[in-house]
């Protein structure tokens, strides 16, 4: 390792994935200011980018024409957030000056909305960027452009296996010849820390980042697929003045750390940043997923001092665990992520009064929690209680309100190029012995067979439906059999090969289902999430799909292999559906402690009932697909920024408060008593003289009637579905 300016950075500690070599190209540089020799931020930045190889990479990309290379800078900013949580505009402009000094003058700064910006009323994004210090010209007079990355969107060409398939990106990002991602050094209440990889969520086009890139899609999958298709070329972490504490990304708590980190690889830069915080780099679910899928560069080299920051405070583990228990696609998680964000005073106004008050309470707790144990305990208790309530509601919906659960957009989660045609062609041979065992088992009254095999379950069932075979196979696509199964939440299919008629013959599919059996959700059971290799055959007298599970992203299944076959019956006038599977799902911890395998008299009836319910409904779905009836569970996501679909719980609370206030004010505002005084000295009131007070109550009743009626209607429908499935 070559040590640059050791007096400035302190004792230099080299860490390398291989033996130190002078010609290594992937370098993560850590440049720090010390008490013995303090360095200005401009010097920290210049040394870091030089030692990390920025200029060599730029020169290679420019190919002798630096002025013609479009350079895009994407600093982490919030239009209305606390400036101490954003990258220093002065540091960004110093980087622009360094670029211009070397002839790179075609520079654009990309800004985007994040956090609660879409719920605030204030100046436009570009105007507020000027408030943060981006004026379009540096102090040295070098000009640069500011663009909104949520505008001028073009197709981005994400592959069909990507969770971002069909999404676009800003033209400025796609057309840039060199992209530099600049992140603020800060903590995060859910990830633990949020650096370069977390900052990439900000370059995506939708203004409502949480709705589209955390709730509808998994944020880690979004970042992985973005890195595969349109990755930045260089990464910088602004740790000159960091933001630490319970939620440094949301509520600024500045700490002078006098450091700049630079690297060509975002995961490598984040690993260095996490080590300086004294945090396990894989403790962040987002970074763990990227490191699992992509790993670190070969032959990487760390150049600098990795002594942890003095006085640094990370989020309490109890808080991180509580926030992670909030389902990202739930409204409580959304509410927390918005209300916990500190809005800079005088920059914008929260339009929802209830949200404003909640935000004031949360940000106050976050601000004092690091020094006040009582405030920290209160914050963790509140979030933990909200997480428990959210989990209970989700478990209830899993069993009794499936139509309210959001479907999921997911990536394929595995590399299609990692499998050859031979892997698909072996599936039938692997399943044949198991299918012979299933067929030899005695059938019950519902033509279902099952048997334990080790810790897995062999199961088979069939049904003959009153549908002509030729018409049935035309309407019911055998290659989509997995998506016809009950409790299917979503998935993604990647076709590997097709026959001469364009029908899939080999494909990879990832699919998600609700926890099975559904009551496992009450014990913390996760959704079933599996990736499968599938082989499909089309013969004159049969259609068959066979699959083998090769990966479970959330560890919910060890086996989920099987097949579905369509066969003609009664000379083709009817259709026979045959399903055979081998399954082993991971039990929640409570059930693992209970050890149901040691209590077969209790276990076997539960297993039989669960499989009977699941596959009875699955066979019903095949018939529904043939008849054109709806059968899918859950709610689909909107394709655009739908603020009605993404409303917050506080909105309904605000509307209810306004209605009650209106009713109360009108009821109390009675200028005179109803009726009139008669000549007999009595006050006479006619039926039409007192409409106001009772009319207001009727108005309130009319407002509440749809909600009450909807609740009972949904309950009746759930009970009816349950009875039909028995």
């Amino acid at each position: 390792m070559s040590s640059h300016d050791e007096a400035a950075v302190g004792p230099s500690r080299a860490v390398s994935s291989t033996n130190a070599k002078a010609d290594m190209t992937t370098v993560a540089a850590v440049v720090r200011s010390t008490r013995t020799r303090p360095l200005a931020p401009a010097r920290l930045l210049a040394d870091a980018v030089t030692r990390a190889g920025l200029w060599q990479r730029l020169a290679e990309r420019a190919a002798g024409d630096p002025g013609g290379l479009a350079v895009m800078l994407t600093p982490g900013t919030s239009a209305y957030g606390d400036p101490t949580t954003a990258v220093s505009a002065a540091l960004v402009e110093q980087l622009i000056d360094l670029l211009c000094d070397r002839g790179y003058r075609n520079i654009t700064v990309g800004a985007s909305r994040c956090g609660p910006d879409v719920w605030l009323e204030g100046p436009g994004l570009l105007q507020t960027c000027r408030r943060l210090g981006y004026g379009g010209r540096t102090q040295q007079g070098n000009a640069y452009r500011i663009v909104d990355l949520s505008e001028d969107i073009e197709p981005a060409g994400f592959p069909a296996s990507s969770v971002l398939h069909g999404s676009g990106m800003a033209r400025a990002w796609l057309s840039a010849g060199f992209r530099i991602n600049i992140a603020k050094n800060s903590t995060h209440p859910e990830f633990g820390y949020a650096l370069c990889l977390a900052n990439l969520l900000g370059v995506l086009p939708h203004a409502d980042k949480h709705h589209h890139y955390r709730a509808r899609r998994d944020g880690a999958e979004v970042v992985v697929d973005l890195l595969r298709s349109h990755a930045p070329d260089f990464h910088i972490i602004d740790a000159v003045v960091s933001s630490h504490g319970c939620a440094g990304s949301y509520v600024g708590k500045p700490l002078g750390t006098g450091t700049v980190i630079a690297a060509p690889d975002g995961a490598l830069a984040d690993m260095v940043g996490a080590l300086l915080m004294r945090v396990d780099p894989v403790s962040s679910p987002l970074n763990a997923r990227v490191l699992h899928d992509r790993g670190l560069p070969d032959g990487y080299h760390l150049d600098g001092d990795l002594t942890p920051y003095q006085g640094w405070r990370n989020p309490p583990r109890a808080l991180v665990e509580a926030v992670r228990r909030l389902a990202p696609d739930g409204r409580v998680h959304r509410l927390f992520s918005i209300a916990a964000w500190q809005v800079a005073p005088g920059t914008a106004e929260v339009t929802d009064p209830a949200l404003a008050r909640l935000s004031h309470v949360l940000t106050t707790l976050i601000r004092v929690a690091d020094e006040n144990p009582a405030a920290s305990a209160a914050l963790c208790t509140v979030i933990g209680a909200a997480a428990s309530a959210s989990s209970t509601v989700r478990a209830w919906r899993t069993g009794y309100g499936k139509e309210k659960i959001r479907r999921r957009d997911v990536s394929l989660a595995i590399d299609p190029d990692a499998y050859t045609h031979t892997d698909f062609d072996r599936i039938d041979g692997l399943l044949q012995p198991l299918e012979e065992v299933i067929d030899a088992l005695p059938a019950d009254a519902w033509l279902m067979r099952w048997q334990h095999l080790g810790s897995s379950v062999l199961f088979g069932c069939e049904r003959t439906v009153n549908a002509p075979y030729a018409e049935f196979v035309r309407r019911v696509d055998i290659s989509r059999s997995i998506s016809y199964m009950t409790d299917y939440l979503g998935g993604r299919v990647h076709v590997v090969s097709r026959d001469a008629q364009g029908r899939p013959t080999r494909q990879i599919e990832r699919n998600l289902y609700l926890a099975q059996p559904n009551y496992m959700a009450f014990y913390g059971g996760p959704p079933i999430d599996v990736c499968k290799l599938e082989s499909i055959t089309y013969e004159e007298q049969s259609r068959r799909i066979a699959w083998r599970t090769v990966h479970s992203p959330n560890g919910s299944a060890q086996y989920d292999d099987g097949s579905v076959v369509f066969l003609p019956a009664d000379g083709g006038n009817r259709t026979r559906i045959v399903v055979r599977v081998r399954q082993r799902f991971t039990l929640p911890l409570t059930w693992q402690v209970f050890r149901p395998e040691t209590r077969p008299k209790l276990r076997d009836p539960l297993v039989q009932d669960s499989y009977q319910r699941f596959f009875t409904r699955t066979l019903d779905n095949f018939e529904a697909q043939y008849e054109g009836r709806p059968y899918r569970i859950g709610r689909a996501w909107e394709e655009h920024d739908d603020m009605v679909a993404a409303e917050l719980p506080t909105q309904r609370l605000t509307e209810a408060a306004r209605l009650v206030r209106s009713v109360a004010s009108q009821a109390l505002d009675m200028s005179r008593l109803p009726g009139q005084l008669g000549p007999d000295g009595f006050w006479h009131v006619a039926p039409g003289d007192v409409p106001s007070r009772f009319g207001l109550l009727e108005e309130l009743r009319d407002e509440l009637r749809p909600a009450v009626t909807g609740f009972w209607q949904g309950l009746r429908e759930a009970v009816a579905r349950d009875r039909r499935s028995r």
Side-chain angles (χ1 to χ4, degrees):
M1 184 193 83
S2 59
S3 175
H4 300 270
D5 200 352
E6 288 191 3
V9 300
S12 183
R13 298 170 175 82
V15 182
S16 176
S17 63
T18 62
N19 294 329
K21 297 181 180 179
D23 59 350
M24 283 187 179
T25 57
T26 307
V27 177
V30 183
V31 182
R32 308 180 71 170
S33 178
T34 66
R35 291 183 179 181
T36 58
R37 187 177 177 186
L39 293 180
R43 176 68 183 279
L44 294 173
L45 175 66
D47 286 358
V49 298
T50 299
R51 289 157 60 172
L54 173 62
W55 308 122
Q56 293 90 330
R57 293 173 182 274
L58 275 167
E60 181 181 359
R61 190 69 57 86
D65 182 20
L69 181 66
V71 180
M72 164 69 73
L73 310 180
T74 55
T77 60
S78 170
Y80 310 118
D82 189 337
T84 60
T85 65
V87 171
S88 167
L91 192 75
V92 175
E93 292 194 341
Q94 288 160 1
L95 176 60
I96 293 173
D97 288 335
L98 292 174
L99 290 165
C100 290
D101 289 345
R102 289 164 174 77
Y104 301 97
R105 295 188 170 274
N106 184 7
I107 301 173
T108 302
V109 173
S112 65
R113 297 185 181 276
C114 59
D117 292 354
V118 293
W119 296 95
L120 304 174
E121 283 187 355
L125 179 63
L126 301 184
Q127 290 82 353
T128 53
C129 284
R130 292 184 173 87
R131 174 186 65 85
L132 295 172
Y134 298 96
R137 188 173 296 275
T138 70
Q139 290 186 354
Q140 294 185 14
N142 294 310
Y144 59 92
R145 294 182 301 278
I146 304 173
V147 300
D148 186 343
L149 294 179
S150 63
E151 297 179 351
D152 195 16
I153 306 302
E154 288 188 345
F158 290 104
S161 59
S162 170
V163 69
L164 293 170
H165 178 64
S167 299
M169 294 192 72
R171 181 198 301 269
W173 178 269
L174 296 174
S175 62
F178 199 91
R179 309 180 187 108
I180 302 177
N181 177 34
I182 311 174
K184 182 72 172 182
N185 193 57
S186 60
T187 56
H188 193 277
E190 181 179 358
F191 300 147
Y193 64 94
L195 301 173
C196 295
L197 298 182
N199 193 55
L200 289 178
L201 294 173
V203 308
L204 294 162
H206 284 293
D208 192 348
K209 297 292 187 291
H210 183 277
H211 183 63
H212 290 277
Y213 308 121
R214 293 300 317 285
R216 176 177 176 177
R217 302 172 177 89
D218 182 272
E221 293 185 359
V222 169
V223 172
V224 167
D225 287 350
L226 179 61
L227 290 172
R228 285 174 177 162
S229 299
H230 304 289
D233 302 287
F234 202 80
H235 302 262
I236 299 172
I237 299 176
D238 171 16
V240 178
V241 178
S242 302
S243 183
H244 69 145
C246 286
S249 301
Y250 294 170
V251 179
K253 186 172 184 179
L255 176 69
T257 47
T259 303
V260 171
I261 304 167
D265 183 81
L268 180 59
D270 279 13
M271 184 189 75
V272 173
L275 293 175
L276 290 171
M277 297 178 186
R278 206 188 293 270
V279 172
D280 182 355
V282 299
S283 62
S284 163
L286 189 153
N287 289 69
R289 180 61 181 271
V290 173
L291 289 170
H292 177 271
D293 284 17
R294 298 175 56 84
L296 293 171
D298 294 334
Y300 69 85
H301 183 61
L302 307 186
D303 182 358
D305 180 10
L306 297 184
T307 302
Y309 303 123
Q310 290 186 358
W312 186 267
R313 290 188 173 182
N314 289 304
R317 190 64 190 175
L319 175 63
V320 173
E321 292 297 333
V323 176
R324 289 181 183 175
R325 286 171 54 206
L326 297 173
D329 60 344
R331 289 181 175 176
V332 178
H333 185 285
R334 177 177 179 81
L335 182 62
F336 171 78
S337 67
I338 293 174
W341 202 293
Q342 175 71 58
V343 179
T347 60
E349 179 183 355
V350 181
T351 56
D352 184 351
L355 175 60
R357 294 187 181 184
L358 178 62
S359 178
H360 175 73
V361 172
L362 271 179
T363 54
T364 300
L365 281 174
I366 290 171
R367 193 180 303 110
V368 302
D370 294 304
E371 290 78 20
N372 188 327
S376 177
L379 180 63
C380 295
T381 300
V382 168
I383 303 303
S388 297
S390 177
S391 300
T392 302
V393 170
R394 189 172 186 85
W396 174 265
R397 289 178 173 177
T398 298
Y400 306 103
K402 300 178 182 181
E403 69 282 354
K404 294 184 177 297
I405 295 178
R406 286 287 193 182
R407 299 171 188 167
R408 297 304 305 271
D409 286 352
V410 296
S411 68
L412 198 60
I414 57 176
D415 182 8
D417 297 330
Y419 302 94
T420 65
H421 285 190
T422 303
D423 295 316
F424 295 86
D425 298 340
R426 292 176 58 240
I427 295 175
D428 282 325
L430 294 173
L431 290 178
Q432 182 180 355
L434 299 176
E435 292 180 343
E436 290 178 354
V437 172
I438 293 172
D439 291 343
L441 295 173
D444 61 17
W446 293 275
L447 297 181
M448 295 184 178
R449 304 171 171 87
W450 74 278
Q451 175 65 48
H452 284 287
L453 180 64
S455 298
S456 60
V457 175
L458 297 180
F459 180 85
C461 64
E462 62 179 81
R463 178 185 294 181
T464 301
V465 299
N466 292 317
Y469 174 75
E471 185 63 18
F472 185 88
V473 298
R474 187 184 70 82
R475 297 186 189 181
V476 184
D477 185 356
I478 186 68
S479 69
R480 303 297 299 149
S481 293
I482 297 296
S483 65
Y484 301 149
M485 293 193 177
T486 193
D487 290 348
Y488 178 77
L489 277 179
R492 189 161 297 274
V493 177
H494 176 80
V495 178
V496 175
S497 64
R498 298 179 183 271
D499 62 12
Q501 300 181 39
R503 299 174 298 189
T505 55
R506 301 179 184 91
Q507 64 187 22
I508 303 175
E509 182 169 1
R510 178 184 178 187
N511 39 80
L512 280 76
Y513 305 92
L514 295 178
Q516 298 299 324
N518 290 161
Y519 56 77
M520 287 296 175
F522 288 97
Y523 300 92
I528 306 300
D529 186 357
V530 286
C531 303
K532 302 173 179 178
L533 305 185
E534 298 173 352
S535 173
I536 305 108
T537 55
Y538 306 87
E539 298 179 0
E540 184 176 354
Q541 294 298 312
S542 73
R543 297 285 192 273
R544 174 183 169 88
I545 179 172
W547 62 86
R548 178 173 70 90
T549 297
V550 294
H551 179 53
S552 177
N554 66 350
S556 57
Q558 297 182 22
Y559 295 107
D560 188 8
D561 310 329
S563 64
V564 174
V565 185
F566 298 159
L567 300 167
D570 296 339
N573 294 321
R574 304 171 73 196
T575 303
R576 182 180 169 217
I577 307 170
V578 181
V579 182
R580 307 180 186 95
V581 296
R582 178 193 185 186
Q583 296 179 327
R584 180 182 179 183
F585 299 136
T586 304
L587 292 173
L589 181 60
T590 304
W591 281 77
Q592 292 182 33
V593 173
F594 181 68
R595 297 185 63 194
E597 68 275 7
T598 64
R599 300 169 173 83
K601 291 185 178 180
L602 176 63
R603 177 200 61 181
D604 290 353
L606 292 175
V607 171
Q608 182 175 7
D609 178 72
S610 299
Y611 274 88
Q612 178 185 327
R613 286 173 178 270
F614 183 90
F615 283 100
T616 296
R617 293 171 181 173
T618 293
L619 295 173
D620 291 343
N621 289 352
F622 280 105
E623 292 194 59
Q625 174 67 21
Y626 170 76
E627 297 169 2
R629 293 184 284 107
Y631 57 88
R632 285 288 306 276
I633 66 165
R635 292 185 295 160
W637 293 95
E638 299 291 339
E639 293 298 329
H640 53 84
D641 279 330
D642 184 357
M643 302 311 294
V644 175
E647 68 176 3
L648 297 174
T650 53
Q651 288 178 274
R652 295 189 178 183
L653 180 61
T654 298
E655 293 172 1
R658 286 173 177 167
L659 177 61
V660 171
R661 189 182 303 116
S662 173
V663 170
S665 62
Q666 292 180 37
L668 295 175
D669 183 21
M670 301 192 65
S671 57
R672 66 182 184 84
L673 292 173
Q676 58 184 350
L677 185 64
D680 53 1
F682 289 94
W683 199 269
H684 296 269
V685 181
D689 291 338
V690 244
S692 54
R693 195 179 296 261
F694 295 104
L696 292 171
L697 293 177
E698 289 177 1
E699 179 183 347
L700 179 61
R701 183 190 61 190
D702 291 341
E703 291 285 342
L704 295 176
R705 181 183 289 117
V708 175
T709 303
F711 169 80
W712 289 112
Q713 176 97 13
L715 182 60
R716 284 195 298 269
E717 292 176 356
V719 171
R721 286 195 302 269
D722 188 61
R723 288 177 175 174
R724 286 197 299 270
S725 65
R726 291 181 181 272

